[in-house]
Amino acid sequence: MTGMPGSRDTAAPASACARRAVRCGVFRFDPAHPLFADHFPGAPVVPGSCIVLAFADEAARWADGPAGPPRPIREARGFRFRRFVTPGDYAFRMERTDDGLRCSLHALAPAVGEEGCVAAPPAPLVTGVLAW
């Protein structure tokens, strides 16, 4: 994302698991981004809108490939922020369903499985759906 604090970490690009219904990778919310000086001074927190936008941007990148979502995203639905997300690196997981893409954000796991996907990621910090 240009100009936004969330982006894919180029050291760990997103990948599609073998069945191509899941996309995993790492989002980086750059602690040096000026947004965090104001949100909030001394205790920076990533705004929920930046997290949802990171998922939407990743969905658009996925759609550009042959295994991407079959329909355009129409809405963000049911996003729950279970904990504050501070600037840094986080694992993401997007799973294709009949209704859209089920999204979750996790603390980074120490080990990853097939093609970069975590078999049993840590409890999610954020969950929601990007709906068709």
Side-chain angles (χ1 to χ4, degrees):
M1 301 179 209
T2 306
M4 295 299 293
S7 65
R8 280 199 6 227
D9 182 350
T10 55
S15 62
C17 288
R19 60 183 186 198
R20 300 212 180 268
V22 175
R23 187 166 175 95
C24 305
V26 174
F27 288 145
R28 174 161 182 72
F29 299 100
D30 186 358
H33 194 280
L35 169 71
F36 299 121
D38 293 328
H39 199 269
F40 296 95
V45 175
V46 179
S49 59
C50 291
I51 295 169
V52 174
L53 184 57
F55 279 114
D57 286 350
E58 189 61 34
R61 279 190 285 277
W62 193 8
D64 287 341
R71 296 177 284 243
I73 299 300
R74 300 280 185 222
E75 67 178 319
R77 182 170 64 207
F79 272 83
R80 305 281 189 274
F81 301 88
R82 300 170 192 306
R83 291 200 154 166
F84 288 113
V85 174
T86 57
D89 297 339
Y90 293 88
F92 73 83
R93 181 177 175 87
M94 299 170 72
E95 182 178 354
R96 190 178 1 210
T97 68
D98 289 340
D99 296 334
L101 298 172
R102 187 177 307 131
C103 304
S104 58
L105 188 72
H106 307 266
L108 284 176
V112 294
E114 180 179 334
E115 296 186 31
C117 288
V118 177
L125 304 170
V126 177
T127 59
V129 173
L130 295 175
W132 310 127

